[in-house]
Each structure stands twice: as C-alpha cells, then as structure tokens.
Amino acid sequence: MEKIIISGGNPLRGTVQISGSKNAALPIIAATLLTSEPCVIRGVPNLSDIQFMCDILRWLSVKVEHHKTEGVVEVRAGHPLGVAPYELVRKMRASVCLLGPLLARLHNCKVSLPGGCVIGDRPIDQHIKGLKRLGADVVVENGYVHARCNELIGNDVFMGGRFGSTVLGTANVLMAAVLATGTTWIEGAACEPEIEDLVNFLIKMGAKIKGIGGHMLEVEGVTELHGAEHTVIPDRIEAGTFMAAAAITGGDVEIHGARAEHLSAVRDKLEECGVTVERNNGTIRVRSNGDLKPVDVITMPYPGFPTDMQAQMSAMMTVTPGISVITEKVFPNRFMHISEMARLGADVSLEGASAIVKGVKRLSGAPVMASDLRASAGLVLAGLAADGETEVNRIYHVDRGYERIDQKLRLLGAKIERVAE
Ligand code: UD1
C-alpha cells in the first residue's frame, strides 16, 4: 500500500490538464456490451476503477484492449457471458451498470449486488423498479440481481428516488430501453453531464433518443446497435478539485481541458467565498489571496452543487474564518472525512446531514486515513493547507478517481510525494 506525504503551506501556481471523466467512461464502457461490433472509447483516464471495469468485461469473455498511456479502450463484445461475480463486482459499485446492457443484449443476466459502501446506504431499488417497468422479471437471490425477460417492452419509467434522480439507475434503464420494443419515456431522468455523454455514445451506436441532457428522455427502441467511436467528456470533479486546491492554498491555477459549463455550481460557490474564477478560451483560471469567506453549501443532483465535491469544499471551509454549513442531500451520511480533518485541527460538528464548520486559522499536519475516493481528495486538500507534514494513508482510494494526482499537484508547486506505507 502507498501513502502520500504533503508538506503544506505552498500556494499552487501554474497550469493543470484535466483527464477524461471516470464516471462518464464507466457506463460508456458498459454500453459497448450492447453490440457485437467493435467500439473505441478515447479520453479514458488511467484509473483503477477503469481497470476493474475492463477486467469484468474480460471475465465476461469480451475482447478488451486497454491502451493506458493513450487513454483508449477498444472493446468487441462478440458473445458476452451473462454473470458478473461478486469477487469482481465488490471492488467497484459502478459495475451495477452492467445490468441494463447485459439484460438488453442477452435477456438473462446475473450481476452480483455490489455490497456496502462507506459513504452510506446505496440501494438499487430504483434500478430494479425501472427494469421491471420494461417487462423484466428481476429477483434478488443469493447475493445476485437476476434479471430476465422474453423481450423488453417500452414503457414510462420514473427514476426519481428519495434523494433525487439516480445517475447509474438512469444509465441502466436507458441502456435497456435502447434495445426494447417500442418507446420508453424515462421521467425524472438524472441529467448529469455523464448521462448526457452516455446518450451521445448510444446515439452514435444507432440508438434513437430524444431529450438529451433533460429530465425526460424519450427512447425509441431499435432491433440492434452498431459499433462506434467516442471521446469521453473531461472530468468535472477532478477539475472542481483543482479549483478548490487553488482556492485553499491562496494560489493561481489555470485549468485546461475542463468544460466550464459543467462546473457552474462549483464556480458560483467559490465566487461567493471570494475566489476569482475566470473563463478564457476553454480554460478556467482560479485565483485567491487566501482570504476566504464562509458559505452555506447544499449538495444536490446536477446542476446543483455536486456531492462528489462536498469533502473538498469541507476542507476549504475548515480554514475559512466564520461558520459555514454544509448539508448533504444526496448521501446524508457522507461525512467520513470530518473526523480525519479533526485530526488536523479542524473544528467541525455534525448535525444530522449537516456539517457545521467553524473555520480555524491554521490546520496542522498529522497522519490521516482515506476512507473513500472523494474523502481522500478532501484530506489531500486539507494537507496542502496545513502547517507541517500530513500523511494521507490508504491512497489507493484516491487512485480510483484521480489520474496521477500527486504528479499534477507537484507540477503546481505542491510539496507532495508518494511512498510505500
Ligand atoms: C453516481 C456517481 C457518484 C456520485 C453519485 C451522485 C458514478 C460511477 N458514480 O453514483 O460518484 O456521487 O452518482 O451524484 O457515476 N438511490 C436510491 N435507490 C437507487 C439508487 C440510488 O435510493 O436505486 C439513492 C442513493 O442512495 C443516493 C441517491 O439516490 O442517496 C443518488 O444515488 P445515485 O445517483 O444512484 O448514485 P450512483 O449512480 O450510484
């Protein structure tokens, strides 16, 4: 296992290149199961979650070539098997999005339930409900979701749950509906940019989908799809993380390759904190003199403030004078990073799904433990702002979603190194 050691206190300066989106690439790679023809996906980040997805596809007897340095995944799903086992699925919750495409292609599949997750309860009732609406018989038995049908038949499906529309649930129903007989209306569809990217890829494969980017997707089923090439969108959460890193260190960072329109809620909050954010010719420049103002943040489905940026924002607020309130409306228990930030001297108390953050003058470095992907990003940011040395252990969590984060931060002037634990 590896850990990251950070000597904090350096304002970040320079430019950083954003990688392709993990959360867009994963369902798009799953969607290649919908055709026996070759598909080429570009702009794929070199991350452990992508390797897990490629491994699962290989296990399903699918031909996968992953050119890691070029960021290209080539898939040919000639005759995929229909069972995704626990040993592979448990490594990555997102593998649940194999359910829709395998069901559509094979009419009979079993995908292991992904199991627990430290960011809270993550049910898949909406995925199951959606697939049932398309005529599938779905049962959960022996730890597997077993879905089968004679044919999938278009219907209206509502994807909004208690905490808003489900992203991967929408992806699953969409991927099943593209090969269903007749028309499906997905109401309350998640409209995250990653879903829009999946829709764009499916359209390139020959799917007929209207309402792209909106809450109501109309899918006219087709009998078969063909191979396609696609470049995934840039990772808005990686970009947002570097924006917050510039702000928390009082730095000046130009972010290249991100889509500013996917980051409006993050930009808006940073501006409210007193950070300068400029959009110039496809770049985002983030400047701060370190004089931050407290804010209230509520995480919401897109286009609201993303839950995947909550830990990074919490880190910023720990060193912002005054009181900030951060409320989680998507994953109400997603506050594992708070007790670790307290080890650095942060003053935060939890009230239900809200964190009340009293900004302190300085954090002071200490060993901390990463518990999940975005929590670890929050801890890295806190370490960048802390006096002295911060050791972030279990850094494999950060490697699931950030391509070479230590190298990218080092290029911006951070004192950061990766060592064996
Ligand atoms: C995706 C993202 C994740 C992000 C999340 C919310 C990927 C690979 N992951 O996860 O990074 O944090 O969206 O933006 O894209 N829910 C139910 N029933 C369901 C499904 C979900 O109640 O059947 C609840 C969840 O517990 C959660 C909320 O709905 O409270 C949103 O979850 P969802 O959008 O499904 O998250 P994921 O798609 O798993």
Side-chain angles (χ1 to χ4, degrees), residues 285-419:
R285 183 175 173 195
V286 182
R287 278 181 294 151
S288 162
N289 57 9
D291 191 11
L292 300 172
K293 296 188 194 71
V295 286
D296 290 344
V297 179
I298 302 179
T299 67
M300 303 256 207
Y302 190 82
F305 191 89
T307 173
D308 285 352
M309 277 298 298
Q310 185 256 109
Q312 302 88 313
M313 198 67 190
S314 303
M316 257 180 76
M317 294 303 101
T318 62
V319 288
T320 299
I323 297 181
S324 302
V325 181
I326 298 172
T327 303
E328 249 303 337
K329 292 263 187 187
V330 181
F331 292 108
N333 298 318
R334 190 176 203 176
F335 286 112
M336 294 290 283
H337 45 282
I338 294 300
S339 45
E340 293 300 302
M341 287 179 188
R343 303 200 73 252
L344 303 175
D347 183 352
V348 186
S349 55
L350 290 178
E351 296 278 345
S354 294
I356 320 292
V357 189
K358 288 187 197 149
V360 294
K361 272 215 171 84
R362 302 294 301 169
L363 298 175
S364 63
V368 289
M369 190 80 83
S371 56
D372 71 80
L373 168 54
R374 306 303 170 187
S376 49
L379 292 172
V380 168
L381 261 54
L384 290 172
D387 287 335
E389 206 170 89
T390 299
E391 228 183 79
V392 186
N393 293 284
R394 298 200 181 161
I395 207 63
Y396 58 85
H397 286 296
V398 94
D399 293 334
R400 287 188 39 222
Y402 292 89
E403 202 176 41
R404 306 185 312 273
I405 193 170
D406 44 328
Q407 283 180 38
K408 289 189 183 185
L409 286 169
R410 208 161 29 245
L411 282 174
L412 294 172
K415 289 191 182 147
I416 179 167
E417 56 175 329
R418 178 186 288 258
V419 296

Side-chain angles (χ1 to χ4, degrees), residues 71-385:
V72 177
V73 172
E74 294 180 66
V75 184
R76 191 182 190 127
H79 300 282
L81 301 174
V83 183
Y86 179 63
E87 298 72 52
L88 295 173
V89 170
R90 74 183 166 83
K91 293 185 181 171
M92 185 183 60
R93 228 201 84 87
S95 24
V96 72
C97 71
L98 293 165
L99 202 52
L102 282 176
L103 176 66
R105 179 85 187 274
L106 305 173
H107 289 182
N108 189 355
C109 68
K110 278 169 116 176
V111 175
S112 170
L113 280 169
C117 173
V118 292
I119 71 173
D121 194 21
R122 294 183 79 171
I124 59 162
D125 55 305
Q126 300 294 320
H127 302 233
I128 294 175
K129 180 190 77 178
L131 296 176
K132 281 184 171 172
R133 293 284 297 172
L134 300 183
D137 175 26
V138 189
V139 287
V140 176
E141 54 191 8
N142 309 119
Y144 280 78
V145 185
H146 187 179
R148 65 204 128 174
C149 61
N150 292 326
E151 65 171 339
L152 291 170
I153 299 170
N155 202 346
D156 54 285
V157 183
F158 178 62
M159 292 313 297
R162 272 192 309 151
F163 301 103
S165 308
T166 152
V167 177
L168 289 176
T170 301
N172 257 332
V173 172
L174 184 60
M175 290 189 276
V178 288
L179 287 181
T181 305
T183 304
T184 298
W185 294 271
I186 306 179
E187 293 159 10
C191 56
E192 268 67 6
E194 294 77 20
I195 292 293
E196 188 176 327
D197 208 30
L198 172 65
V199 170
N200 279 326
F201 177 58
L202 292 169
I203 290 172
K204 287 180 185 168
M205 295 176 84
K208 292 190 176 160
I209 307 170
K210 287 187 198 156
I212 176 162
H215 277 304
M216 165 77 163
L217 294 171
E218 185 180 321
V219 186
E220 193 189 322
V222 295
T223 47
E224 58 179 11
L225 295 175
H226 51 74
E229 287 199 28
H230 186 73
T231 302
V232 297
I233 54 171
D235 197 310
R236 65 191 169 103
I237 304 300
E238 187 198 16
T241 302
F242 278 98
M243 289 167 80
I248 198 173
T249 61
D252 184 349
V253 173
E254 204 168 83
I255 293 164
H256 288 225
R259 298 260 293 265
E261 70 273 25
H262 293 164
L263 285 150
S264 307
V266 175
R267 186 194 66 212
D268 201 57
K269 267 304 151 197
L270 291 185
E271 284 176 346
E272 209 182 314
C273 292
V275 177
T276 307
V277 184
E278 290 163 354
R279 291 165 66 163
N280 305 309
N281 297 327
T283 69
I284 305 171
R285 183 175 173 195
V286 182
R287 278 181 294 151
S288 162
N289 57 9
D291 191 11
L292 300 172
K293 296 188 194 71
V295 286
D296 290 344
V297 179
I298 302 179
T299 67
M300 303 256 207
Y302 190 82
F305 191 89
T307 173
D308 285 352
M309 277 298 298
Q310 185 256 109
Q312 302 88 313
M313 198 67 190
S314 303
M316 257 180 76
M317 294 303 101
T318 62
V319 288
T320 299
I323 297 181
S324 302
V325 181
I326 298 172
T327 303
E328 249 303 337
K329 292 263 187 187
V330 181
F331 292 108
N333 298 318
R334 190 176 203 176
F335 286 112
M336 294 290 283
H337 45 282
I338 294 300
S339 45
E340 293 300 302
M341 287 179 188
R343 303 200 73 252
L344 303 175
D347 183 352
V348 186
S349 55
L350 290 178
E351 296 278 345
S354 294
I356 320 292
V357 189
K358 288 187 197 149
V360 294
K361 272 215 171 84
R362 302 294 301 169
L363 298 175
S364 63
V368 289
M369 190 80 83
S371 56
D372 71 80
L373 168 54
R374 306 303 170 187
S376 49
L379 292 172
V380 168
L381 261 54
L384 290 172

